[in-house]
Amino acid sequence: MEETAVFNALPASPYEAGGAMHGVERNAIQAVQGCEAPDRVSVPEIQAFISPKLFRELSWTNGQSAEAVTEGCITKAYDTLETLLALVKEPFNAWSRTQREAVKLMTVSKLYEYNGDAHGRKEFLQRAERLLSDRYGSIEAEREYAAPCAAVCVPDEVKIFTF
């Protein structure tokens, strides 16, 4: 709970950062300057997020560079984030620090998955889900609600066709 306490007070959008007018002015200034949205999470941010030793261990490969492996995991993390946000009916927001932090956690989870470490993958994915659940509502409850189900029924009478 301590790791997500910092993010409970963070604004989810520029509109919440300083009132609605502040957000509108900020958007207008960014549109004029050509900055429509903040940059995606980058490889150096992931390197700074975890220890250098862990980064080397998780992103090491024979065929690709560490940056290419990490960039692929960042892309997968954004896909996972969009899926989790859809469960709680929350739109993706490029300005949200909470969502950005969740992407970092999910990227590390994807790096663990890339290396075949199910325990590390699960730990970081749960931390990301807990962060999003604390901010936007229970993901687990929505996941159970949205889970598909099927029923099998037996008809009352069976008609057999004979020729």
Side-chain angles (χ1 to χ4, degrees), residues 21-114:
M21 285 308 294
H22 181 267
V24 171
E25 291 169 6
R26 180 175 172 187
N27 285 342
I29 291 169
Q30 287 178 343
V32 169
Q33 294 175 347
C35 297
E36 296 175 5
D39 292 334
R40 290 171 32 119
V41 171
S42 64
V43 174
E45 284 181 88
I46 300 300
Q47 286 176 312
F49 186 68
I50 57 178
S51 72
K53 180 182 178 199
L54 180 61
F55 179 77
R56 281 192 308 272
E57 289 175 5
L58 292 178
S59 61
W60 182 85
T61 183
N62 286 329
Q64 297 179 351
S65 68
E67 289 77 21
V69 170
T70 307
E71 190 61 44
C73 290
I74 290 170
T75 301
K76 291 176 185 175
Y78 271 105
D79 293 342
T80 305
L81 175 70
E82 289 180 13
T83 302
L84 293 176
L85 290 175
L87 282 174
V88 291
K89 297 169 185 62
E90 186 70 31
F92 172 73
N93 186 340
W95 289 274
S96 173
R97 287 189 234 165
T98 304
Q99 292 179 16
R100 194 171 184 89
E101 188 72 14
V103 167
K104 290 177 188 178
L105 290 166
M106 285 187 264
T107 299
V108 175
S109 172
K110 295 296 180 185
L111 284 168
Y112 272 110
E113 181 180 333
Y114 176 79

